[in-house]
Amino acid sequence: MKLYDYTMAPNPRRVRIFLAEKGIEIEKVQVDIPAGENLAPAFRAINPRGLLPTLVLDDGTVIDESVAICLYFESLQPDPPLIGTDAKTRAVVASAQRHMEFDGLQAVAEAFRNSNPTFANRSISGSEGVPAVPGLVERGRAAAERFYASLNDTLADSEFVAGDAYSIADITALCVVDFAKWIQLRAGDEHPRIKRWYAAVSSRPSASA
Ligand SMILES: N[C@@H](CCC(=O)N[C@@H](CS)C(=O)NCC(=O)O)C(=O)O
């Protein structure tokens, strides 16, 4: 089994943290996104979408999408549970995870990709020849700021993003908050609960995976 990975990118990091929490070690292959290795024929032959992370099983099955890869490992090794433990908690975690991904990661990515010179002609992941749209920087940043306010509210009622247990939703949120530094967005004094939560989740050993 091999995980195609790029250390600097937020989506592969979600899977690395998930695996570290489970104590699972697998072979990782670096694919340099800024250098365009993910767009080259050799990687497209593995994943035509050109996206990371991509997991290739020993039987040749190719699985992309961070959450799908995490689901695979959750099924293989349920402990510690990171995607809930029963009908209700699985649904609550899945919902919170999607909020972090759609409202947070997508917003930061929009601001990042449309402002970073490396992606000036690659404003859509896995594609070339798609010029950056300057207006999307402001739109992404505004959405990311709304996300911070909402995450701060979410953390008023619980220790973690999806309740009182650490989960995949915390992993996605941690990757959003660290990725947001690339667009100079950080939790401020108006986000005390994010600061409290961030101190806890970023000090877990898995955060450095
Ligand atoms: N929804 C996908 C997103 C995958 C994705 O966009 N990955 C980025 C790295 S964070 C990528 O492969 N980018 C390639 C590029 O920029 O060309 C997932 O969760 O795996």
Side-chain angles (χ1 to χ4, degrees):
M1 188 177 345
K2 275 186 196 167
L3 180 69
Y4 290 86
D5 183 19
Y6 180 59
T7 305
M8 302 284 285
N11 284 296
R13 185 177 179 222
R14 295 160 72 188
V15 172
R16 289 197 309 274
I17 295 175
F18 193 93
L19 290 173
E21 288 285 338
K22 296 261 179 204
I24 298 173
E25 286 183 20
I26 61 169
E27 183 184 351
K28 299 186 185 81
V29 180
Q30 287 292 307
V31 180
D32 188 331
I33 293 176
E37 284 179 7
N38 61 306
L39 307 174
F43 185 69
R44 293 257 196 223
I46 297 164
N47 182 351
R49 296 174 79 212
L51 297 180
L52 301 166
T54 296
L55 180 71
V56 180
L57 305 185
D58 291 341
D59 70 359
T61 303
V62 177
I63 304 169
D64 72 354
E65 290 297 327
S66 310
V67 174
I69 295 170
C70 291
L71 271 173
Y72 176 72
F73 287 110
E74 182 84 355
S75 302
L76 276 187
Q77 186 182 305
D79 285 318
L82 295 172
I83 316 185
T85 51
D86 57 20
K88 187 173 95 174
T89 56
R90 277 191 202 105
V92 167
V93 169
S95 167
Q97 194 296 125
R98 185 62 178 145
H99 294 175
M100 300 303 111
E101 187 177 56
F102 193 73
D103 302 343
L105 193 50
Q106 190 161 296
V108 176
E110 184 172 85
F112 172 76
R113 289 200 78 93
N114 289 285
S115 58
N116 188 294
T118 304
F119 299 103
N121 210 28
R122 295 173 58 186
S123 74
I124 293 180
S125 294
S127 301
E128 277 181 297
V130 185
V133 179
L136 292 179
V137 179
E138 203 178 319
R139 188 180 83 164
R141 199 184 163 84
E145 285 170 2
R146 280 197 301 279
F147 168 76
Y148 268 57
S150 153
L151 178 58
N152 193 60
D153 288 347
T154 297
L155 291 166
D157 304 325
S158 59
E159 185 178 351
F160 294 108
V161 170
D164 292 326
Y166 177 90
S167 74
I168 190 173
D170 296 286
I171 295 174
T172 302
L174 172 63
C175 292
V176 175
V177 169
D178 283 334
F179 186 34
K181 292 172 189 164
W182 287 87
I183 60 162
Q184 289 78 47
L185 183 64
R186 288 180 168 77
D189 291 344
E190 69 277 34
H191 306 120
R193 299 178 197 112
I194 296 182
K195 287 184 170 182
R196 181 262 301 157
W197 162 87
Y198 182 82
V201 295
S202 64
S203 64
R204 295 169 80 96
S206 63
S208 54

